[in-house]
Amino acid sequence: MEQFVINAKTRKETGKRVAKKLRAQGRLPAVAYNEKGESIMLDIDAAEFSKVWRTITPSTTINLKIDGQDNMAFIQSTEYDIKADKNLHADFHIVSGTKPVIYTYKIHYSGTPAGVLQGGFMVKHIPQIKIKALPQDLPTTVVAEVSAIKIGEKLLVKDLNLSDKVTVMTPAEDVIISVAPPKK
């Protein structure tokens, strides 16, 4: 998997005036929080951040290089101006890689259930699942392959094809989808 890198410099000054000045120079004010809750104020290249931000998912780890030092991090949140089509601020969460994190994933579906092709109706039961894993072991997305599901059958959480490095927090017997018979 490609490693995304964002170069950052620490900054001392805060406030609206400083943030405006940074943005005018093509820079982006940001803050990085570590696992202890401590914060570091950062100054990053806006174009570099935007390129990475548009490419990754919320569970993708990046290499946040602060003053040349590598840190594994997630982009926690961003403030985005939709009219100007640019980011105004970013928050990062620096992780050690030794403590598991919990993420909620929206379930994506692959294929058309066999039962739907026979006239049945696909019924979605749960839209998302919770996963616990080390940051580097988190999947990019969770995809449920539904092609083999026939009328009257169900796809359960335990049927998802996930890595053995992740722990699914959602109950294994929860139904993701089922295929109902056609109405008469």
Side-chain angles (χ1 to χ4, degrees), residues 20-58:
K20 241 181 189 175
K21 188 176 165 186
L22 282 174
R23 289 186 198 110
Q25 298 169 353
R27 308 293 295 170
L28 188 66
V31 177
Y33 299 94
N34 63 17
E35 290 175 329
K36 297 174 192 165
E38 301 165 339
S39 63
I40 306 163
M41 292 187 302
L42 302 172
D43 162 5
I44 59 178
D45 181 78
E48 181 181 39
F49 175 80
S50 187
K51 182 180 172 190
V52 171
W53 178 68
R54 292 176 190 277
T55 309
I56 65 171
T57 65

Side-chain angles (χ1 to χ4, degrees), residues 1-2 15-16 26 56 133 144 160 171 184:
M1 187 165 81
E2 183 182 351
K16 288 181 183 180
I56 65 171
L160 289 173
K184 296 182 181 194

Side-chain angles (χ1 to χ4, degrees), residues 1 27 47-48 52 69 75 77 82 97 103 105 116 121 134 143 149-150 152 165 175:
M1 187 165 81
R27 308 293 295 170
E48 181 181 39
V52 171
Q69 182 181 351
I75 296 176
S77 65
I82 196 165
Y103 260 86
Y105 285 85
V116 169
F121 297 96
L134 292 175
V143 179
I149 310 298
K150 298 179 181 125
K165 294 180 180 180
V175 178

Side-chain angles (χ1 to χ4, degrees), residues 63-77:
N63 180 3
L64 181 63
K65 267 190 190 239
I66 302 174
D67 296 330
Q69 182 181 351
D70 294 338
N71 296 283
M72 185 187 311
F74 294 106
I75 296 176
Q76 189 170 325
S77 65

Side-chain angles (χ1 to χ4, degrees), residues 139-152:
T140 307
T141 58
V142 172
V143 179
E145 173 52 55
V146 297
S147 303
I149 310 298
K150 298 179 181 125
I151 293 175

